[in-house]
Amino acid sequence: MIAVQAHETAHDKERFQLLVDAVTDYAIYMLDPSGIIASWNSGAQRFKGYVESEILGEHFSRFYTEEDRAAGLPQRVLETAAREGKFETEAWRVRKDGTRFWAHVVIDPIRDAKGNLLGFAKITRDLTERRKAEEALRESEQRFRLLVQGVTDYAIYMLDPEGYVSNWNPGAQRIKGYSEDEIRGQHFSRFYTEEDRATGLPQRALQIARREGKFEAEGWRLRKDGTRFWANVVIDPIYNDQKRLIGFAKITRDITERRNAEEALAQAQAALFQSQKMETVGQLTGGIAHDFNNLLTIIVNNLDLLTRSVTGARETRLIESAQHAAERGAQLTQQLLAFSRRQPLQSALHDPVRLIEGFETVLRRACGEAVNLQLSLPSRISMINVDGAQFEAALLNLVVNARDAMPDGGDLTIAIGETNLTEDRAAIRSIPAGPYVVVTVKDTGMGMTPDVASRVFEPFFTTKEVGKGTGLGLSQVYGFITQSGGHIEVDSTLGQGTTITMLLPAHGEGQETGDEEQSDTVRPARDSAGTVLIVEDEPAVLEVATEIFDSLGYDVLTAKDALGAIAVLETDTLIDVLFSDVVMPNGMNGVELSRKARQLRPRIKVLLASGYPMSALPSEGFDNGVSFISKPYRWTELADKLRSLRTST
């Protein structure tokens, strides 16, 4: 029986040895109590390099680095294993060829039944490849961390799956104002505006990122100090190897300056488009006004001529009614010319405060009892170079429009101030940079939609009922301000009122000058003044002019264009006055004709007429002996002009 048990024990030991020798991924060997190697398996031979005959009987400390041996580490390892029942660590070990490998080491003490130490079982595993991979990963993570930490133009940080901040880079601190200690653990929704939080935008952003793999948007975000910045935001979900969501990567960039630049460009483009549109409409309306003045010239003067021969009360009343209508037409024409910036202006330096104070009574009367007019006028203000009467007319037009926008009453404020436009702000308005006097007219009326506000200065555009307005009042204001070198703006919100802002170039010094008095009594010339040459390409206008000069006692010669007039001047020596339209066909205009006429007849008097104002015509040629009259003219005005020419030297 004892022999059988001994045989079985020997057999078990043999099988165990075969098992140990078969293991090649682990070095499994025995040490005696002093650390001498007593056994050796194939795994130990594979990655330590020693065959069994070379290593048996050697001390296991030869596997340790020189530094560890010098520090007595091998002996302490055995003492620890014997004392604590186990020793386990990871460290560098040395192969037979002197190369190092990273080892995971476990040492267990072996004791007999009485507890006596028989030696140690040592198991070593080569983890060099794993450690290299871990170090490579660690280095990669470190480089990535340095990269992220080095970025200051972008806020780059992590969120957990619920949206709480888990890390923070310097770019996030620079842009948003929070240090990492302040913000870590806080919910990222604090960066959103109150309006966005109320609509649940932060939560939707995370849901979209999770569902679609990415969320990107632009919008307002908040800094620590409460100020807003315009941000480009990208949120990406992060998944682990098991495809489980572990958080979000969030990148934010402050693009406020870019947005401001884009808005400034859009404003400049809109202003340019509006300016070009108004310029085109202005050219059209100026041409219409010119043609309309030709028609009015015929109507007005035929009516004036009729009054000299009509005696019946009914006929006189009809003619007077027609004259009033023609005068109204002339006023509309002047408003069209004002919009097209072709009205004649009598500009002078004025104190805008004195202008408004002197006109206050008229403005209050125009407001009516339901509107509370308030004036906010400084004690001192720069001068402006404007036509005083046109300034008052523009202000009255604005007041009347404001009054009509407050049918149930309201507050109307006229205020004056000053500003200094920078190059950028002036460029948007297409006016020179520099100091400006600012005149604002603000009401609490119905206000306008953006579409209506963009069209208020267009001729004949009106929101009033039929018969309540011509749509030319604000056109006159626009034309007057721009012709005076200024700028006008509209700020209106539907239901909240309108503010009209006028900017006029400021002049530091100057003295207000009053308008020269002009006589309201015009006396027609009754005496014969000689021969007149009338040059007019419109037959109807030519016919009316001929009638007027004939009624004033002139001998009349006519021509339809400049070339015909020159032919008459070269053959007829008895011409005293040249009366010519300015705009004519066949190349030569009235101004050029006047110069040619004075070369042929140095003493000839020249009177030029046009539906355009004198300010819109070439300035050369208007010297002594040359005068100008605007269409539509009346025969009494024409008589006064001729009398002035005759008395001039």
Side-chain angles (χ1 to χ4, degrees):
M1 184 70 176
I2 295 174
V4 173
Q5 289 177 343
H7 175 74
E8 289 178 350
T9 300
H11 183 68
D12 290 340
K13 288 181 178 180
E14 184 180 354
R15 285 189 299 175
F16 179 74
Q17 187 62 46
L18 289 173
L19 172 64
V20 171
D21 287 340
V23 174
T24 59
D25 287 339
Y26 291 82
I28 304 174
Y29 53 99
M30 303 288 291
L31 305 176
D32 69 9
S34 62
I36 300 299
I37 300 170
S39 69
W40 197 247
N41 81 326
S42 57
Q45 180 178 330
R46 187 181 66 82
F47 57 79
K48 293 200 177 187
Y50 298 93
V51 298
E52 188 175 23
S53 59
E54 292 176 308
I55 201 65
L56 292 178
E58 299 293 331
H59 198 273
F60 86 111
S61 60
R62 69 165 48 200
F63 306 137
Y64 283 72
T65 64
E66 185 177 347
E67 310 93 81
D68 289 345
R69 289 198 302 271
L73 182 59
Q75 187 60 37
R76 290 203 306 273
V77 165
L78 297 182
E79 291 172 355
T80 301
R83 183 177 63 252
E84 299 181 4
K86 183 179 182 181
F87 174 83
E88 184 173 4
T89 189
E90 287 188 8
W92 288 112
R93 294 294 183 264
V94 181
R95 294 187 177 95
K96 176 183 177 181
D97 61 5
T99 58
R100 295 187 177 193
F101 66 98
W102 187 257
H104 175 260
V105 177
V106 178
I107 301 177
D108 290 290
I110 302 173
R111 298 179 185 275
D112 61 15
K114 296 180 179 181
N116 297 317
L117 181 67
L118 301 178
F120 299 90
K122 191 168 185 295
I123 301 175
T124 304
R125 187 180 185 190
D126 184 354
L127 299 180
T128 307
E129 294 301 322
R130 191 194 74 179
R131 188 174 190 273
K132 286 180 179 179
E134 290 175 348
E135 285 185 342
L137 178 61
R138 186 162 51 250
E139 289 176 2
S140 176
E141 290 175 346
Q142 185 178 10
R143 287 195 298 268
F144 180 74
R145 188 177 301 108
L146 291 173
L147 172 64
V148 171
Q149 293 300 315
V151 173
T152 58
D153 287 340
Y154 291 81
I156 304 175
Y157 54 98
M158 302 286 292
L159 306 176
D160 70 11
E162 285 72 42
Y164 290 92
V165 178
S166 58
N167 60 32
W168 198 245
N169 83 322
Q173 180 169 339
R174 185 186 68 82
I175 293 173
K176 302 197 177 187
Y178 297 93
S179 68
E180 187 170 6
D181 292 339
E182 290 176 309
I183 201 62
R184 184 182 290 172
Q186 302 295 320
H187 199 271
F188 85 113
S189 60
R190 67 164 47 199
F191 308 136
Y192 285 71
T193 64
E194 185 176 346
E195 311 92 84
D196 287 344
R197 288 197 300 268
T199 60
L201 180 58
Q203 290 74 18
R204 288 204 309 277
L206 296 185
Q207 291 170 3
I208 293 171
R210 179 182 296 183
R211 182 177 66 249
E212 301 181 5
K214 183 179 183 181
F215 172 83
E216 184 171 4
E218 290 186 5
W220 289 113
R221 295 295 183 268
L222 297 178
R223 296 186 176 92
K224 178 183 176 181
D225 61 8
T227 58
R228 296 188 176 196
F229 67 98
W230 190 257
N232 173 265
V233 177
V234 178
I235 303 176
D236 289 290
I238 302 174
Y239 297 91
N240 62 13
D241 293 338
Q242 289 74 42
K243 307 301 182 183
R244 182 174 63 86
L245 181 73
I246 59 174
F248 299 91
K250 192 167 187 296
I251 301 176
T252 302
R253 188 180 186 191
D254 182 354
I255 56 172
T256 308
E257 291 185 1
R258 190 193 76 183
R259 183 175 189 267
N260 291 341
E262 290 173 349
E263 287 186 342
L265 177 61
Q267 289 175 1
Q269 290 173 335
L272 176 61
F273 172 76
Q274 182 70 7
S275 174
Q276 291 172 335
K277 182 180 74 171
M278 298 299 270
E279 182 66 27
T280 301
V281 176
Q283 292 174 356
L284 174 64
T285 54
I288 293 174
H290 170 266
D291 294 341
F292 195 33
N293 275 335
N294 275 338
L295 300 176
L296 287 172
T297 299
I298 299 168
I299 295 171
V300 167
N301 286 286
N302 278 330
L303 291 172
D304 283 348
L305 291 173
L306 282 174
T307 59
R308 303 175 66 184
S309 58
V310 171
T311 57
R314 180 174 179 275
E315 289 79 1
T316 300
R317 187 172 66 255
L318 292 175
I319 291 173
E320 288 177 350
S321 176
Q323 286 175 324
H324 289 314
E327 289 170 357
R328 177 58 178 155
Q331 291 174 1
L332 293 176
T333 304
Q334 290 303 311
Q335 289 177 317
L336 286 173
L337 288 172
F339 170 76
S340 63
R341 303 187 296 282
R342 292 176 176 177
Q343 63 179 337
L345 295 180
Q346 303 297 322
S347 298
L349 288 173
H350 291 276
D351 181 338
V353 172
R354 290 182 60 187
L355 281 176
I356 293 176
E357 288 176 342
F359 201 53
E360 181 179 354
T361 302
V362 177
L363 295 177
R364 292 193 181 278
R365 188 179 302 118
C367 286
E369 297 181 357
V371 175
N372 175 32
L373 175 62
Q374 299 177 351
L375 302 181
S376 178
L377 308 178
S379 57
R380 298 185 63 182
I381 196 75
S382 295
M383 307 288 276
I384 54 176
N385 190 29
V386 296
D387 185 318
Q390 292 291 340
F391 177 84
E392 292 173 347
L395 201 59
L396 181 61
N397 274 325
L398 294 178
V399 167
V400 169
N401 272 277
R403 177 203 65 195
D404 293 345
M406 299 183 288
D408 299 325
D411 295 324
L412 175 61
T413 303
I414 300 175
I416 292 183
E418 291 192 69
T419 188
N420 199 330
L421 291 186
T422 62
E423 292 286 349
D424 291 342
R425 293 171 60 202
I428 293 176
R429 296 167 172 83
S430 299
I431 56 177
Y436 285 83
V437 171
V438 182
V439 182
T440 58
V441 179
K442 181 178 181 180
D443 66 60
T444 58
M446 297 179 290
M448 296 176 282
T449 63
D451 179 62
V452 172
S454 68
R455 299 187 60 194
V456 293
F457 297 125
E458 296 179 10
F460 304 113
F461 178 79
T462 180
T463 58
K464 298 177 182 179
E465 298 177 11
V466 177
K468 294 293 183 68
T470 63
L472 288 173
L474 292 181
S475 299
Q476 180 272 334
V477 180
Y478 172 86
F480 163 68
I481 294 297
T482 51
Q483 192 173 353
S484 300
H487 179 73
I488 187 166
E489 297 174 347
V490 180
D491 182 15
S492 185
T493 302
L494 194 62
Q496 299 183 23
T498 299
T499 299
I500 304 289
T501 302
M502 297 179 289
L503 291 88
L504 290 163
H507 296 265
E509 297 180 358
Q511 186 174 1
E512 179 176 335
T513 58
D515 296 332
E516 295 182 0
E517 293 184 1
Q518 297 181 353
S519 172
D520 292 332
T521 304
V522 180
R523 297 174 297 279
R526 299 294 181 180
D527 55 315
S528 175
T531 302
V532 61
L533 172 59
I534 304 174
V535 187
E536 174 62 63
D537 60 304
E538 287 284 343
V541 177
L542 178 62
E543 182 180 350
V544 169
T546 300
E547 286 289 341
I548 294 174
F549 275 94
D550 182 69
S551 69
L552 294 175
Y554 282 86
D555 295 326
V556 179
L557 300 174
T558 63
K560 294 182 179 180
D561 55 32
L563 296 179
I566 291 173
V568 175
L569 288 167
E570 289 175 340
T571 57
D572 197 308
T573 60
L574 300 177
I575 300 174
D576 302 288
V577 178
L578 171 65
F579 179 62
S580 174
D581 191 10
V582 174
V583 180
M584 291 186 296
N586 300 328
M588 184 179 291
N589 60 39
V591 176
E592 294 168 333
L593 173 61
S594 71
R595 288 199 295 267
K596 180 66 174 177
R598 301 194 75 189
Q599 290 175 3
L600 296 172
R601 306 291 180 86
R603 299 181 63 84
I604 195 171
K605 304 297 183 181
V606 179
L607 179 59
L608 299 178
S610 179
Y612 293 113
M614 184 175 178
S615 59
L617 303 175
S619 59
E620 299 85 356
F622 288 91
D623 52 7
N624 291 334
V626 178
S627 189
F628 177 81
I629 189 169
S630 294
K631 294 180 180 179
Y633 49 79
R634 308 183 76 152
W635 69 273
T636 51
E637 297 175 89
L638 194 55
D640 255 7
K641 287 286 184 180
L642 292 169
R643 185 165 56 252
S644 297
L645 272 178
R646 191 171 61 247
T647 57
S648 65
T649 57

